[in-house]
Coordinates of all heavy atoms in Angstrom, one line a residue:
T1 N 176.0 79.8 87.6 CA 176.9 80.6 86.7 C 177.3 79.9 85.5 O 177.8 80.5 84.5 CB 178.1 81.0 87.5 OG1 178.7 79.8 88.1 CG2 177.7 81.9 88.7
A2 N 177.1 78.6 85.4 CA 177.6 77.8 84.2 C 176.8 78.2 83.0 O 175.6 78.5 83.1 CB 177.5 76.3 84.5
N3 N 177.4 78.1 81.8 CA 176.7 78.4 80.6 C 175.4 77.6 80.3 O 174.5 78.1 79.7 CB 177.7 78.3 79.4 CG 178.7 79.4 79.3 OD1 178.5 80.5 79.8 ND2 179.8 79.1 78.7
V4 N 175.4 76.4 80.8 CA 174.2 75.5 80.5 C 173.0 76.1 81.1 O 171.9 75.9 80.6 CB 174.5 74.1 81.1 CG1 174.6 74.1 82.6 CG2 173.4 73.1 80.6
F5 N 173.1 77.0 82.1 CA 171.9 77.6 82.7 C 171.6 79.0 82.2 O 170.6 79.6 82.6 CB 172.1 77.7 84.2 CG 172.5 76.4 84.9 CD1 173.7 76.2 85.4 CD2 171.5 75.4 85.0 CE1 174.1 75.0 86.0 CE2 171.8 74.2 85.6 CZ 173.1 74.0 86.1
R6 N 172.4 79.4 81.2 CA 172.2 80.8 80.7 C 172.0 80.9 79.2 O 172.1 82.0 78.6 CB 173.5 81.6 81.1 CG 173.7 81.7 82.6 CD 174.8 82.7 82.9 NE 176.1 82.2 82.3 CZ 177.2 82.9 82.4 NH1 177.2 84.1 82.9 NH2 178.4 82.4 81.9
Q7 N 171.6 79.8 78.6 CA 171.5 79.8 77.1 C 170.2 80.5 76.7 O 169.2 80.6 77.4 CB 171.4 78.3 76.6 CG 172.6 77.5 76.9 CD 173.8 77.9 76.1 OE1 173.7 78.1 74.9 NE2 174.9 78.1 76.8
I8 N 170.3 81.1 75.5 CA 169.2 81.8 74.9 C 169.0 81.3 73.4 O 170.0 81.4 72.7 CB 169.4 83.4 74.9 CG1 169.6 83.9 76.3 CG2 168.2 84.1 74.2 CD1 170.0 85.4 76.3
H9 N 167.8 80.8 73.1 CA 167.6 80.3 71.8 C 166.3 81.0 71.2 O 165.4 81.3 71.9 CB 167.3 78.8 71.8 CG 168.4 78.0 72.4 ND1 169.6 77.8 71.8 CD2 168.6 77.4 73.6 CE1 170.4 77.1 72.5 NE2 169.8 76.8 73.6
V10 N 166.4 81.2 69.9 CA 165.2 81.8 69.2 C 164.7 80.8 68.2 O 165.4 80.2 67.4 CB 165.7 83.1 68.4 CG1 164.5 83.7 67.7 CG2 166.3 84.1 69.3
Q11 N 163.4 80.6 68.3 CA 162.7 79.6 67.5 C 161.4 80.3 66.9 O 160.4 80.4 67.7 CB 162.3 78.3 68.2 CG 163.5 77.5 68.7 CD 163.1 76.3 69.5 OE1 161.9 76.0 69.6 NE2 164.1 75.6 70.0
A12 N 161.5 80.8 65.7 CA 160.4 81.5 65.1 C 160.0 82.7 65.9 O 160.9 83.6 66.1 CB 159.2 80.6 64.8
E13 N 158.8 82.8 66.5 CA 158.4 83.9 67.3 C 158.6 83.6 68.8 O 158.0 84.3 69.7 CB 157.0 84.3 67.0 CG 156.8 84.8 65.6 CD 155.4 85.0 65.1 OE1 154.5 85.0 66.0 OE2 155.2 85.2 63.9
Q14 N 159.3 82.6 69.2 CA 159.6 82.3 70.6 C 161.0 82.5 70.9 O 161.9 82.2 70.1 CB 159.2 80.8 70.8 CG 157.7 80.5 70.7 CD 157.3 79.1 71.0 OE1 158.2 78.3 71.3 NE2 156.0 78.8 71.1
I15 N 161.2 82.9 72.2 CA 162.6 82.9 72.8 C 162.6 81.9 74.0 O 161.7 82.1 74.9 CB 163.0 84.3 73.2 CG1 163.3 85.1 71.9 CG2 164.2 84.3 74.1 CD1 164.0 86.4 72.2
I16 N 163.5 81.0 74.0 CA 163.7 80.1 75.1 C 165.0 80.5 75.8 O 166.0 80.5 75.3 CB 163.8 78.6 74.7 CG1 162.5 78.2 74.0 CG2 164.0 77.7 75.9 CD1 162.5 78.3 72.5
A17 N 164.8 81.0 77.1 CA 165.9 81.6 77.8 C 166.2 80.8 79.1 O 165.2 80.4 79.8 CB 165.6 83.0 78.2
G18 N 167.4 80.5 79.4 CA 167.8 79.9 80.6 C 167.4 80.8 81.8 O 167.5 82.0 81.7
G19 N 167.0 80.2 82.9 CA 166.6 80.9 84.1 C 167.7 81.8 84.6 O 167.5 82.9 85.2
A20 N 169.0 81.5 84.4 CA 170.1 82.3 84.9 C 170.6 83.3 83.9 O 171.5 84.1 84.1 CB 171.3 81.4 85.3
A21 N 169.9 83.3 82.7 CA 170.3 84.3 81.7 C 169.9 85.7 82.2 O 169.0 85.9 82.9 CB 169.6 84.0 80.4
R22 N 170.8 86.7 81.8 CA 170.5 88.1 82.2 C 169.3 88.6 81.4 O 169.2 88.5 80.2 CB 171.7 88.9 81.9 CG 171.8 90.3 82.5 CD 173.2 90.8 82.6 NE 173.8 90.8 81.3 CZ 173.7 91.7 80.3 NH1 172.9 92.7 80.5 NH2 174.3 91.5 79.1
L23 N 168.3 89.1 82.1 CA 167.1 89.6 81.5 C 167.4 90.6 80.4 O 166.8 90.6 79.3 CB 166.1 90.2 82.5 CG 164.8 90.7 82.0 CD1 164.0 89.6 81.3 CD2 164.0 91.4 83.1
G24 N 168.3 91.5 80.7 CA 168.7 92.5 79.7 C 169.2 91.9 78.4 O 168.9 92.5 77.3
R25 N 169.9 90.8 78.4 CA 170.4 90.2 77.2 C 169.2 89.5 76.5 O 169.2 89.5 75.2 CB 171.4 89.1 77.6 CG 172.1 88.5 76.4 CD 173.4 87.8 76.8 NE 173.8 87.0 75.6 CZ 173.8 85.6 75.6 NH1 173.3 85.0 76.7 NH2 174.1 84.9 74.6
V26 N 168.3 89.0 77.2 CA 167.1 88.4 76.5 C 166.3 89.5 75.8 O 165.9 89.3 74.6 CB 166.2 87.7 77.5 CG1 164.9 87.1 76.8 CG2 167.0 86.5 78.2
V27 N 166.2 90.6 76.4 CA 165.4 91.8 75.8 C 166.1 92.2 74.5 O 165.5 92.4 73.4 CB 165.3 92.9 76.8 CG1 164.8 94.2 76.1 CG2 164.5 92.6 78.0
T28 N 167.5 92.4 74.5 CA 168.2 92.9 73.4 C 168.2 91.8 72.3 O 168.2 92.1 71.1 CB 169.6 93.3 73.7 OG1 170.3 92.2 74.4 CG2 169.6 94.5 74.6
T29 N 168.2 90.5 72.6 CA 168.2 89.5 71.7 C 166.8 89.5 70.9 O 166.8 89.4 69.7 CB 168.4 88.1 72.3 OG1 169.6 88.0 73.0 CG2 168.2 86.9 71.3
A30 N 165.8 89.7 71.7 CA 164.4 89.8 71.1 C 164.3 90.9 70.1 O 163.8 90.7 68.9 CB 163.4 89.9 72.1
V31 N 164.8 92.1 70.5 CA 164.8 93.2 69.6 C 165.6 93.0 68.3 O 165.2 93.3 67.2 CB 165.3 94.5 70.4 CG1 165.6 95.6 69.4 CG2 164.3 94.9 71.4
H32 N 166.8 92.4 68.5 CA 167.7 92.2 67.3 C 167.0 91.2 66.4 O 167.2 91.3 65.1 CB 169.0 91.6 67.8 CG 169.9 91.2 66.7 ND1 170.7 92.2 66.1 CD2 170.3 90.0 66.2 CE1 171.4 91.6 65.1 NE2 171.2 90.3 65.2
E33 N 166.2 90.3 66.9 CA 165.5 89.3 66.0 C 164.1 89.8 65.5 O 163.4 89.1 64.9 CB 165.3 88.0 66.8 CG 166.6 87.3 67.2 CD 167.3 86.7 66.1 OE1 166.6 86.4 65.1 OE2 168.5 86.5 66.1
G34 N 163.8 91.0 65.8 CA 162.5 91.6 65.4 C 161.3 91.0 66.1 O 160.2 90.9 65.5

């Protein structure tokens, strides 16, 4: 549950997501970043 396991980072055309990150949040982050 700690934030260190839920981070989401965008690097150019890549998204690096923590294993504990909510999948829905990763999807919306990708869309927001085009």
Side-chain angles (χ1 to χ4, degrees):
T1 54
N3 285 336
V4 66
F5 304 110
R6 300 187 295 175
Q7 298 295 311
I8 301 172
H9 302 287
V10 181
Q11 296 179 1
E13 295 172 12
Q14 294 182 354
I15 286 188
I16 297 96
R22 195 162 49 84
L23 180 61
R25 185 163 168 252
V26 176
V27 173
T28 54
T29 298
V31 167
H32 180 76
E33 296 290 334

